[in-house]
Amino acid sequence: MSKLQNNQEIAIIHSLLDELPSAEQITTSINDELTTVQDVVRYLVSCFASYSIYVGHGTANYWDEAIEIVQAVMHLQPPCDESTLNSKLTKSERELIGKIACQRILNRIPTPYLTHRAFFCGKEFYVDDRVIIPRSPIAELIESGFDPYVDSQPQRVLDMCTGSACIAIAIALHFDRDVEVDAVDISDEALEVANINIEGYGLEDCVFPIKSDLFENLPEGDKYDVIVANPPYVDSYDLATMPDEFRCEPDLALGSGDDGLDCAKKILAKAGDYLNDEGILIMEVGNSEEQLVDLFPTVPFHFVDLKRGGTGVFILGVEQLRAYHDVFEKAALEVNNAR
């Protein structure tokens, strides 16, 4: 028998360690016992850890997640400095933080859906559950102006599966509004959110939302210098086993067939027809990268080594797209015939 097995004080300690804070305990602690930003952030981190919530919708750890909730309530932009951490929160701020924290922890709602804000390429975007939360590693390519993959500033760009239009807007802002970006999505609801962001940045003269099932409603003969595509790419297994937070996002923006590549196959089959002679396709396929390479073993996909992390972003030039058109078209037809 263990020497400590019958120690009641130790048993009480273990019981208290294992006890999860209730909604009432969370709100009471934040409202009545804590004072500064750092106090609240530290407590939120403990609550997040006790419930093992999933982060990954704009933050990478519990501290940053807690900071974002508090700063959103304070109407402050990141990053958070030491003076902010030492600031005292008002009672109304603490009450709101408590409400958000309970929804985040107990109902597993991603923070951007609770605060209606997300950040991409250093810019703030309005988001709600009509769109997927911005988090694409393509941001790194936009911030470099697509260097070294384009020789000159693009004049026309297509953002396929635009969602909140964060990619389209980030491109327009990077090139000082001196570029035309078509922002395409099949979802009316997503385009409503896209319009909120386009109007918020005053980009109605250079970012144009278009409802289309991929290329279906785009005029034949339309040509772009760059096509950026962040389509749904989650395979059926990953879709079924994702953390609860992902289930708040639109199904249409996540799943794409058993292998996660249904949309990607269709884009590959058509993209060459919509690119200029020096054009490139940039596409994200995330965890479906391995399936893509296995499906098209002869295609020379160039997967980008991203310094800030992220996988599954590749580049193909128009010549490669045209050279392998028959292979891509066959795969796309198989998708259509399976429906």
Side-chain angles (χ1 to χ4, degrees), residues 233-235 238 242 259-261 284-292 311-313:
Y233 56 69
V234 181
D235 64 44
D238 284 348
M242 280 180 146
D259 60 3
L261 295 173
E284 180 179 349
V285 293
N287 291 341
S288 294
E289 173 182 338
E290 185 176 345
Q291 293 97 307
L292 183 76
T311 60
V313 176

Side-chain angles (χ1 to χ4, degrees), residues 158 162 169 186 197 262 280:
L158 172 61
T162 193
I169 290 169
I186 191 175
N197 287 312
D262 282 5
I280 62 168

Side-chain angles (χ1 to χ4, degrees), residues 19-217:
E19 182 180 335
L20 296 176
S22 66
E24 183 179 358
Q25 288 173 321
I26 292 170
T27 54
T28 299
S29 294
I30 294 173
N31 292 344
D32 301 339
E33 301 172 16
L34 307 173
T35 305
T36 68
V37 170
Q38 182 158 304
D39 291 339
V40 173
V41 168
R42 199 286 307 160
Y43 179 69
L44 289 179
V45 169
S46 296
C47 291
F48 294 162
S50 65
Y51 275 88
S52 300
I53 69 164
Y54 174 85
V55 296
H57 290 92
T59 62
N61 56 68
Y62 291 157
W63 180 267
D64 288 346
E65 186 87 1
I67 285 285
E68 169 53 19
I69 288 174
V70 176
Q71 287 198 128
V73 170
M74 297 174 74
H75 300 286
L76 297 179
Q77 301 289 304
C80 179
D81 59 24
E82 189 171 344
S83 64
T84 301
L85 287 173
N86 293 329
S87 299
K88 290 185 177 181
L89 290 158
T90 68
K91 181 173 177 57
S92 61
E93 286 172 336
R94 295 197 305 275
E95 287 175 349
L96 181 52
I97 290 167
K99 292 179 187 297
I100 294 172
C102 288
Q103 291 294 323
R104 179 68 188 90
I105 295 165
L106 302 176
N107 295 329
R108 303 300 172 107
I109 299 173
T111 293
Y113 288 157
L114 295 167
T115 62
H116 278 173
R117 74 178 197 173
F119 295 89
F120 183 77
C121 286
K123 306 295 183 183
E124 182 178 336
F125 294 91
Y126 172 89
V127 294
D128 59 34
D129 63 357
R130 291 175 288 180
V131 295
I132 196 169
I133 296 166
R135 53 184 177 270
S136 173
I138 289 174
E140 189 173 316
L141 293 174
I142 297 171
E143 291 170 345
S144 71
F146 305 122
D147 182 64
Y149 304 106
V150 297
D151 294 329
S152 59
Q153 177 175 319
Q155 299 303 303
R156 293 195 75 211
V157 176
L158 172 61
D159 173 24
M160 183 62 74
C161 306
T162 193
S164 64
C166 62
I167 287 177
I169 290 169
I171 292 169
L173 293 175
H174 179 84
F175 292 110
D176 297 323
R177 305 169 187 256
D178 188 25
V179 61
E180 180 181 310
V181 187
D182 287 343
V184 171
D185 207 287
I186 191 175
S187 167
D188 287 316
E189 290 189 332
L191 291 173
E192 290 170 2
V193 176
N195 269 311
I196 291 172
N197 287 312
I198 293 166
E199 292 170 6
Y201 278 100
L203 293 171
E204 296 94 330
D205 61 341
C206 61
V207 178
F208 306 102
I210 299 171
K211 182 181 181 181
S212 179
D213 183 358
L214 302 180
F215 296 97
E216 188 174 291
N217 293 339

